[in-house]
Amino acid sequence: MKKPKPQPGLPTPDQILRFIADSSDAVGKREIAKHFGLHGNDKIALKALLKDMTDEGLVDMAPGRAFHKHGGLPKVTVLRVAAIEGSNVWAVPDRWEGAGAPPRLRVMEQGRKGALGVGDRVLARTEERGGGHVAHPMKRLQASAELVIGVLVHDTGPGGKAMTWLRPADKRARFDFAVADMGDAGIGDLVRAELTGRGPATKAKVIERIGDPFAPKALSMIAIARHEIPHIFGAETIAEAERAAKLPLTPEGREDLRDLPIVAIDPIDARDHDDAVWAIPDDDATNRGGFKAIVAIADVSYYVRPDGELDREARRRGNSVYFPDRVVPMLPETLSAGVCSLKAGEDRAAMACHLVIDKHGKVTSWRFARALVRLRANIAYEQAQAMIDGEPILPGTGRGTSEAGGGVPSGKRAAETSRKPPVPLHHPADGSPPPAGEDLLPALQNLWACWALLATARAARAPLDLDLPERQVILDEKGGIAEIRVRDRLDSMRLIEDYMIAANVAAAKALEAKKSPVMYRIHEPPSREKLVSLKDYLETFEQSFALGQVITPAVFNRLIDGFSEDDRLPEIMQAILRSQTQAYYGPANAGHFGLALGSYAHFTSPIRRYADLIVHRALVDSYKLEVPGKPKDLPARTGLGEADAKGLSRIGEAISALERRAMEAERETIDRYVAAYLANKAGEIVAARITGVQPFGFFATVDGLGGDGLVPVSTLGSERFFYDEAARTLDSEHGRVSYTVGQRLDLRLMEANPVSGALRFELPDAPEGGFRDRPVRRDGLKKAGKHVVGKRGRPANIKHKGRKR
């Protein structure tokens, strides 16, 4: 059927947007004028209208002066090759200002423009296909300048001349770069710089001063800049958040749960409180020995509505990012630390998950409702544990007198008890918890008794039981590093974890029952390739691993148990972790291997995860949970909506990528704080453990602190060393020395670089500069294992990292 011809005259912005969306080709001013039959003065008016639409953020201009809807993928755009996987070439937009992570496009017919490599840029026509996008290259473009995030330092250069250098923030970078232009930045500033020239002529030109990363509570700025994490909210987003915070909160359309002693148990320094819990023995005679429980979750979907500025910004961020010195929230603090956060003594909107649990710990039924809650208390994990254990709480800390706090005895693996049902502990007659705790104790005891049932069911399910240490950086009031330690693993933490898992499973199954779209949290079983690698590694421990067996989490748990009394247990758990696939979000259920669950979704943290907000909206739609009233200046509906329901695959891919970005940024920042903590200990001997072996040396971590540093092969001795890939060892030529993963040894800390988080070690008895008198091969080159070491040959204006500053 032929489309009706548009009426003559200047089109409205909506008509232009529809024409751009419906067009299969690039749309410029000429195409718009031709389609709407514009002539003379109307063309001049169209130019002004398109400028207004661009200024208002309704459309963007792509290369070639073609327009496309704001935040979308242009029909013709510049792409950068991001990855080559077999015969498939994948590219991303060279610039992306849309919501979430940039889309990945498969490059078609790329051979016509010659073989493309990672980093190459092309002008391409884009096309939607199969729920994703493909790209058809039109023209290969000149390579863009490489951008580097780093800190400006002052040091000597060739001939002892004082120079300014750019020290990259990337731990993998091998060089500092001479700076040609500092712009308005100064020594010590974190900057974004452009590398110009090639080879010996490479120099850095500062194009943006980001700030001082060494100011108090500012070290996370490096990761924020390097990963381009949005950390400033726009005026429109802030304004919408303030309007949303004023939404009326009444019992209408909600269950009133304000009389129940619901409590939130969180980290002691938590700023946003997503979840709270309550449990009581079930008085139903058919469920003797069972419990009723409520998991109350902040009703973020009431405040953050689809298609608004808040929603677009939340999707663009994907999640909150947690650093030792700050939180980069997904939502403005008006909401995240304000009206959405479940705070004691204040009325709050909640999404309540009602659970019925039988005496075996099985959740037999669930029900979701919007609710009004008023928490009895916000309790730190340590405080809740101390109250259950009947210990006095140390003033100002929230901790009991025992660091184990009823959890795992010192020196014993935390996971050994996590599979055993906890024994509910009662407040002893001679204990003395603070007076405020007396009212809370019965509520906590009910929570612990119900958890005993949930933990029994968890043990029967046998999920993957990896208990890996989590580092915690404690800052003092001035932002200095007070302490770096391994976070305690308490029963109170496991309790909250099991309640949250129960609610997450209930949310997934509740949506499945309505045949509604679900944003699943998916963790697929390990691939055969990774299992083969694990098998080869375990053989170096004289441990067999049958590839033909049915792989379940219990298989790995038995492996862990077999090394429970072995010093090599951390290496075994790390190897098992490496064998696992990465969890992700998506609408096609493949189960959660690690938790041994068939259906799983994230429901319990909508303040800090966009995936959870999607699940809340789906529940609102499926169970007709819209609340009465139509607010002014805000979208009316709080449910998912048809467009998002159809686009879950795309949304899941975007927020999965954003989650990986956040995890990498958080890990890097912890490493930088460890390096800053160790910076004044250069030259000292530290107890360390080897974490990885490569032909060029081995990596080691400092016991109790973490961090990762290289011991170069050139410093290991005068003998040549050979790398055994299967055994992951470096062996000396005559077999006198061998370095292997898991080996503990003392090392001398040579350098700790807070800019990149890198550490560098040497053996305690290594001569300054390492061993240089190795036997010479017949071809005149020196060799270490399979790694040939020749003349460094660095350009005069590129300085090796690790030199004296």
Side-chain angles (χ1 to χ4, degrees), residues 219 473-476 479-484 672-678:
L219 203 53
V473 177
I474 310 296
L475 303 182
D476 59 28
I481 305 171
E483 182 184 2
I484 298 177
R672 290 188 177 99
Y673 269 101
V674 169
Y677 186 72
L678 293 171

Side-chain angles (χ1 to χ4, degrees), residues 27 55 184 218 227 230 304 382 517 520 561 583 616 657 700 702-703 712 767 782 796:
V27 175
D55 292 342
D184 61 352
H227 293 279
V304 181
E382 296 87 350
Y520 290 102
D561 287 340
H616 278 233
V702 180
D703 279 348
K782 296 184 177 182

